Structure formats: C-alpha cells, structure tokens
C-alpha cells in the first residue's frame, strides 16, 4: 500500500474496522534543542535543503537578501510573522514550524491535539464516513510514520490471514506491506512496489527530517525480499489496460487484484496531528478487480 499518485483534499497503509481511530501519539517537544541552536541555523538548514538561495527566499517572502543573511547568522532576530512567512515559503512541516518559533523565542503556534480528543470529533467522524463511503474499494488513514489510525472493510479483506503480531494495535502500513510475513509474498510485482515505497519514504524523510521515520525506513529496507507466492495469472482483459500509474498487483483468494494508490492530505492545517494525517485510497486498476470487489460486496 501507499502511494503511486498524490492528491490534496480541501479541509483535507491496516487491520481495523471502520471507526477504529486511535489517539495520535504526542511526543515531547524538542524545545530545548531547538532553542539552543537558534532560529538562524535552523532556517539556513531548511533553505539549503530546499535548494533556495537567500535572494530567492527574500523575494518570495517580501524581504531582502541582506535581512535573510542577518537572520541566518544571528545578527537580526526575526519577528514571529517573519519566522512563519519564511517557514511557509520553505515548505517547513507544521511540527517544525513550532520548533522554529521556539528557537526564535516565541510560543508554538500550532497545537498537537490527540486524535481521540473531543475537539477533533468532527474530523474523525468525517474521515470515517469518507473511507466507509469508498467501500467496497480499500481505504485507510495513516499518520506521519505510517501508523494506521483507521481502515475500512476493503483493507480488512486484503489483510485476511496475516499474523497477529503485524495486526496488533497501532499496526504500521509499511510493515504490513513489506514484512516477509505480511503482504509482501502476495504482491506479484513486489520488487517494483517495494522500490516505489522506499523511494516515497526517502522523500518523506527529506521533507520532515523525522528520526522515527528514518528508523522505520531502515527497518523495512532491511527486510528480506520474499519470492511472490505462486498463484494464478490474471485473465487477459478483452481490451488492453493502459495503467496511468504503477499498480500494486496482489494475489487474493485465488485471483490477482490490481490497484492504483492515491494519497490525500489536508489543506492549510492548523494542528500538528491533522497536518500529519493522510487518507490513502486504492483504486481498481482494471475492470476485473472492480468487478470482483463489487460482486464480493453484494
């Protein structure tokens, strides 16, 4: 699972039934380390990672290259508004924007609300309704480290028969997919799909600078690559199917199903938890897969 095509949803991989949403973990903020570094070096690090010059960043933010230089070297203390403006133009994740504010001597702007908090009832109910409405096609919700926080019956179907240690509370989509006891032996194009997932995780690590995500990457990248379980080849379609994105071809119940994955996130989130949620949907990549899912549901 997770993702061959990306989409952004306005206002906006499993083994749980719909409605199985857990509270997102709330790690302790790295306030001291951020403040010790100072905001200048942190901003410079983000700018260099994004490969943006001081002049280009200044033009984007309505400032001057001289001021950006003074901020980065600590000769000038940026205002709270300037910190947020620079973070936005550098596409800094919401969690790290709080770290920048702390390093500059300001209070964090974005809360991190547990997902089971009553304040997020509307979000939780809306997301659950969304993935239920997508049935019989598979859909799930993951957080920033690919921990599954909700899934529908389409996902439960694909995970049928997996061992309990992978399906225990707070299952991880990458482990479910790439573990040699997980879906990996069932995926007919495993090497292609595995390469796609690892490349996706590398992009996420570059964007978020997340130590837990780096640890997860090192774990799943070290899994041995099992040979796909021998099974039937899909029946040829009357008309050749031209895939518009890399499909995941997975054996299930004596047939091969084919899915294209899409990820949706929230536009302009104002909460760390919400910013790190993603809704993944698996779209049937051929008429045979769509027909099987619809007939199974009925």
């Amino acid at each position: 699972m997770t993702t061959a095509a990306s989409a952004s949803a306005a206002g906006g991989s499993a083994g749980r039934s719909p409605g199985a949403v857990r509270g997102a973990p709330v790690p302790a903020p790295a306030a001291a380390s951020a403040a010790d570094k100072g905001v200048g070096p942190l901003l410079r690090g983000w700018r260099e990672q994004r490969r943006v010059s001081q002049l280009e960043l200044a033009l984007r933010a309505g400032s001057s290259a001289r001021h950006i230089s003074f901020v980065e070297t600590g000769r000038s203390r940026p205002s709270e508004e300037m910190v947020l403006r620079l973070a936005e133009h550098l596409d800094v994740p919401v969690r790290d924007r709080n770290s920048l504010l702390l390093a500059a001597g300001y209070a964090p702007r974005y809360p991190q609300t547990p997902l089971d908090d009553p304040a997020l009832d509307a979000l939780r109910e809306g997301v659950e309704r969304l993935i239920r409405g997508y049935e019989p096609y598979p859909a799930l919700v993951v957080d920033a480290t690919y921990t599954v926080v909700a899934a529908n019956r389409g996902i439960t179907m694909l995970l049928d028969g997996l061992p309990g240690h992978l399906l225990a509370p707070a299952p991880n989509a990458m482990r479910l997919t790439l573990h040699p006891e997980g879906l990996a032996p069932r995926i007919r194009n495993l090497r292609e799909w595995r390469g796609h997932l690892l490349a996706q995780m590398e992009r996420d690590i570059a964007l978020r600078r997340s130590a837990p995500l780096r640890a997860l990457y090192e774990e799943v990248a070290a899994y041995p690559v099992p040979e796909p379980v021998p099974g039937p080849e899909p029946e040829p379609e009357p008309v050749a199917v031209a895939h518009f994105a890399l499909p995941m071809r997975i054996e299930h119940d004596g047939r091969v199903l084919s899915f294209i994955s899409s990820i949706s996130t929230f536009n302009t989130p104002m909460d760390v938890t919400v910013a790190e949620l993603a809704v993944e949907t698996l779209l049937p990549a051929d008429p045979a897969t769509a027909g099987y899912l619809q007939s199974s549901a009925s």
Side-chain angles (χ1 to χ4, degrees), residues 186-203:
R186 306 179 189 179
I187 299 176
R188 305 300 289 272
N189 58 336
L190 176 60
R191 293 186 183 276
E192 290 177 290
W193 195 250
R194 177 179 181 274
H196 153 68
L197 293 184
L198 294 179
Q200 174 187 313
M201 293 184 73
E202 289 172 353
R203 290 192 297 270

Side-chain angles (χ1 to χ4, degrees), residues 254-293:
R255 56 180 46 79
V256 177
L257 306 179
S258 186
F259 296 97
I260 299 294
S261 172
S262 174
I263 290 283
S264 298
T265 56
F266 290 87
N267 282 343
T268 321
M270 302 301 292
D271 185 285
V272 174
T273 299
V274 178
E276 295 179 344
L277 290 179
V279 180
E280 179 176 9
T281 54
L282 297 180
L283 177 71
D286 54 48
T289 299
Y292 171 75
L293 294 174

